[in-house]
Amino acid sequence: MDEIDAHFHVWELSRFSYPWPDSTVPKLFKDISFSDLTLELESAGVKHAVFVQVINNCIEEAEWVLKSGHPALRGVVAGVCLTDHKVLSVQMERLCHYDKFVGVRHIIDLESDPDWLIRDDVIEGLKIVAALDKTLDISSRPHNLHLVSQVAKQVPDLKIVIDHIAKPYVSKSLDVCPKWKKDMEDAAACPNVWCKISGLVTEVDPINHSAPWSSETFREHVNIVLELFGVERCMIGSDWPVLKLTDANYKEVNVLHKSFIAHLSESEQKSLLRSNAIKFYKLKGMPN
């Protein structure tokens, strides 16, 4: 089976102005190249991957990746302007010329308004995205996860995926953040919402990234996600190179993710590691 990594990044610090990474994260505050990506993918035998934006409202970043010609690239999730609909329409028309443009994301952590995602202008922008049959990645956290179900209900034709299982406090009991499970239940009740099992290792010790972890550290949260969304609405992504904050490498995280699903049938594992990314993003030229 040829796996698809449903979530990776690259960046070139001299090419664009990035809000993050910055000098506070020296492990990542350097160019992360397509050559680096190739080495990491090869280490785990992964042949296909989906790029997810790092810069809000910067389609040039997406075009840079789209034009890279990297053999593993199967899809690109771009940062667009969801609040100015004239600008958005022009951006979407430009991006839709590329077969591998599959969806959009906006890093809501960078917005001061805690309800930015459900503002009227944002919802109208998302309706434009949905009308063009493109998807939305949501980089939510426990404090704003409740917004996902609201967006899903207001734009029912929009396919949404929650990145990084909404970054729960994975090293602690669910009692520390009981609302995460309730909000996940509400999101999963919306048939247009999916979930990425990704970005986990950086949430064990999100400040120092030094606490030890094993597959058991994450099992409770991952099992909840699989139960709520079902195998058919989950996919797996590396969140490389962000995982390097913990000094983990790509192969280690790939092995970790596979340990979560080892008990599933071969068909179910294929869905999580390949088929669901193809279905969600409508990746072209990729048979299930």
Side-chain angles (χ1 to χ4, degrees):
M1 172 191 22
D2 288 343
E3 298 173 36
I4 299 173
D5 178 349
H7 200 106
F8 83 90
H9 311 287
V10 288
W11 48 73
E12 192 172 295
L13 298 181
S14 63
R15 183 178 293 271
F16 300 109
S17 177
Y18 294 88
W20 190 92
D22 56 25
S23 58
T24 64
V25 283
K27 291 178 182 178
L28 298 180
F29 192 50
K30 56 186 176 181
D31 288 351
I32 303 293
S33 70
F34 292 102
S35 296
D36 296 330
L37 172 67
T38 298
L39 292 174
E40 298 294 336
L41 294 176
E42 288 179 349
S43 73
V46 176
K47 296 182 180 179
H48 312 288
V50 175
F51 169 84
V52 179
Q53 59 87 230
V54 182
I55 312 172
N56 287 344
N57 188 19
C58 182
I59 67 168
E60 292 79 12
E61 177 197 29
E63 289 183 314
W64 169 57
V65 177
L66 286 160
K67 293 175 181 177
S68 69
H70 193 283
L73 185 68
R74 290 294 174 264
V76 168
V77 175
V80 297
C81 180
L82 291 169
T83 56
D84 185 324
H85 304 142
K86 288 184 179 179
V87 171
L88 175 61
S89 295
V90 171
Q91 290 178 330
M92 294 297 287
E93 181 180 7
R94 185 163 141 186
L95 288 169
C96 282
H97 287 296
Y98 299 92
D99 286 344
K100 293 180 180 178
F101 167 57
V102 295
V104 306
R105 185 176 81 153
H106 188 91
I107 302 172
I108 56 178
D109 281 353
L110 300 178
E111 298 295 337
S112 58
D113 181 357
D115 293 326
W116 184 90
L117 194 59
I118 54 170
R119 280 178 12 185
D120 289 344
D121 54 350
V122 176
I123 293 297
E124 290 306 308
L126 292 174
K127 289 178 180 178
I128 293 172
V129 173
L132 293 169
D133 200 24
K134 301 303 178 184
T135 63
L136 173 68
D137 274 60
I138 296 184
S139 56
S140 57
R141 294 179 183 270
H143 70 274
N144 52 29
L145 177 57
H146 66 284
L147 300 177
V148 174
S149 60
Q150 296 181 48
V151 173
K153 291 172 183 176
Q154 291 189 64
V155 196
D157 294 332
L158 178 66
K159 285 197 299 184
I160 298 168
V161 62
I162 299 169
D163 290 345
H164 315 324
I165 70 169
K167 291 184 173 287
Y169 311 119
V170 292
S171 63
K172 301 177 181 179
S173 165
L174 282 170
D175 294 338
V176 174
C177 188
K179 195 170 180 292
W180 173 85
K181 183 179 179 182
K182 174 61 170 63
D183 291 338
M184 272 296 194
E185 290 173 350
D186 292 343
C190 302
N192 54 326
V193 180
W194 300 46
C195 192
K196 276 186 192 176
I197 299 170
S198 59
L200 302 181
V201 295
T202 52
E203 299 310 306
V204 177
D205 179 9
I207 303 300
N208 299 311
H209 300 293
S210 60
W213 49 264
S214 70
S215 60
E216 292 306 311
T217 307
F218 313 100
R219 196 169 300 280
E220 183 178 22
H221 290 82
V222 171
N223 285 347
I224 287 171
V225 166
L226 288 171
E227 179 182 349
L228 292 176
F229 289 88
V231 168
E232 64 275 8
R233 281 193 289 147
C234 291
M235 65 188 84
I236 290 178
S238 67
D239 195 28
W240 180 87
V242 182
L243 61 85
K244 294 170 69 173
L245 285 172
T246 68
D247 290 329
N249 62 50
Y250 188 99
K251 186 175 181 179
E252 283 179 300
V253 172
N254 181 267
V255 170
L256 171 70
H257 289 159
K258 288 176 180 175
S259 75
F260 300 148
I261 62 174
H263 64 288
L264 299 176
S265 69
E266 184 177 342
S267 174
E268 289 172 322
Q269 291 185 43
K270 181 180 178 182
S271 292
L272 290 160
L273 293 167
R274 177 182 172 88
S275 303
N276 291 349
I278 295 172
K279 292 175 185 176
F280 179 81
Y281 287 120
K282 293 191 175 179
L283 303 181
K284 297 183 178 179
M286 296 290 293
N288 285 337

